[in-house]
Amino acid sequence: MGKENLLKRLAALGFPLLEAEKEAEVNLTLADLVKSHEMKLWEGFPVALANSSEKGLFDYYKTEGYLRAPSDKLNLGLLVLFSLALYKTLGLKFSWADRLYALFKKKDLRQHYERCLSALRNNRDFAVQGDVMSVQRVKVTFNNYFRQTQAHLDDLLSAKEAMGLEYSLSQVFSPKQKELFLKKLRNEKLTKTEKEYFSRVVKKRVFALANPELHRLSQKLLQHL
């Protein structure tokens, strides 16, 4: 039951992607992830860390505060450093990554980070506290998460662009004219009446909009508004 509860909470941190929870719940969930000692869950730690940190919900010291055993506190640090090494290996730059790395000043922890980098760059499985972490599975898990995130972002941008286009068309064309403009753009068949109206009215506006000099003057005018 405890594991099922943990998995449900991890769903909010990238397993799969859902909305993040409250800050306290996020840090507690990450602490429980560390305490689970389950390698397959640990392999997904970079996903949970990136997702929660990007949303400003991860606090290293608060997460550490939920851990009592010194070994768990150490594991948290090792997993964070492993995650940072993964991001660097994949060429990802997060605004919070350097600040997080700066928390680890001990030489042995910095050496652990360098070993992580070497293992990740050479696709060599890595030992963490006596267990073996599959570098390949870590990369696959994170790349799947990153692709989903990027696809979601692309969808949002597409929707935003579509809304902007819809608004702009509404400023220039009447509803009927806009409908014909889009139908023509999509190569949809027009009725005889629609063709005549398009040629008589809409086409003239399209030519005006496509005029480069008009576009240049409009841009110049906008600079003074």
Side-chain angles (χ1 to χ4, degrees):
M1 187 66 181
K3 181 180 177 181
E4 289 180 6
N5 182 265
L6 174 58
L7 289 173
K8 286 180 181 179
R9 286 184 287 143
L10 283 172
L13 301 179
F15 298 93
L17 291 175
L18 296 174
E19 289 301 314
E21 307 167 42
K22 297 177 182 177
E23 180 181 348
E25 294 172 342
V26 165
N27 291 302
L28 177 59
T29 298
L30 286 168
D32 287 342
L33 170 56
V34 173
K35 289 189 290 186
S36 73
H37 297 158
E38 291 207 24
M39 194 53 58
K40 286 188 177 180
L41 292 181
W42 280 13
E43 288 168 358
F45 187 88
V47 172
L49 178 63
N51 198 14
S52 55
S53 296
E54 279 293 279
K55 294 175 180 177
L57 297 172
F58 174 69
D59 185 305
Y60 179 81
Y61 292 113
K62 288 182 179 178
T63 300
E64 187 183 48
Y66 287 115
L67 301 170
R68 294 185 178 181
S71 59
D72 285 333
K73 292 178 184 289
L74 175 60
N75 286 336
L76 171 63
L78 297 180
L79 287 169
V80 168
L81 287 168
F82 179 82
S83 300
L84 294 175
L86 174 65
Y87 308 150
K88 184 171 183 177
T89 302
L90 296 176
L92 300 173
K93 295 183 179 180
F94 297 115
S95 60
W96 43 266
D98 287 342
R99 293 194 302 273
L100 190 53
Y101 178 75
L103 298 178
F104 303 95
K105 296 180 171 58
K106 291 184 178 180
K107 184 178 179 180
D108 57 337
L109 292 176
R110 294 289 176 99
Q111 289 175 340
H112 170 79
Y113 174 78
E114 294 299 327
R115 289 194 297 272
C116 290
L117 280 177
S118 177
L120 287 161
R121 286 168 176 167
N122 293 288
N123 287 316
R124 188 176 65 248
D125 288 348
F126 192 73
V128 180
Q129 295 296 81
D131 288 315
V132 177
M133 181 175 288
S134 170
V135 165
Q136 187 62 32
R137 279 202 302 266
V138 169
K139 289 183 176 180
V140 169
T141 299
F142 192 85
N143 282 329
N144 287 340
Y145 156 76
F146 194 75
R147 278 197 296 270
Q148 290 178 53
T149 304
Q150 190 60 47
H152 180 59
L153 178 60
D154 290 343
D155 288 343
L156 288 177
L157 290 175
S158 296
K160 183 178 180 181
E161 290 170 357
M163 289 175 65
L165 175 61
E166 184 76 16
Y167 176 78
S168 296
L169 288 174
S170 298
Q171 300 303 300
V172 178
F173 299 110
S174 68
K176 181 61 179 178
Q177 292 167 356
K178 183 176 68 174
E179 179 187 346
L180 292 179
F181 176 86
L182 293 174
K183 286 181 72 173
K184 191 72 173 177
L185 196 62
R186 293 191 290 260
N187 289 320
E188 295 179 8
K189 189 174 181 179
L190 303 181
T191 66
K192 182 180 179 181
T193 303
E194 287 176 334
K195 287 180 180 178
E196 292 175 352
Y197 184 74
F198 184 88
S199 296
R200 189 174 69 253
V201 179
V202 181
K203 189 175 181 180
K204 293 178 181 178
R205 296 197 177 192
V206 172
F207 274 120
L209 289 172
N211 185 292
E213 183 63 16
L214 177 61
H215 179 74
R216 185 185 69 80
L217 292 174
S218 297
Q219 291 292 327
K220 185 176 181 180
L221 178 60
L222 285 174
Q223 295 175 4
H224 300 286
L225 294 180

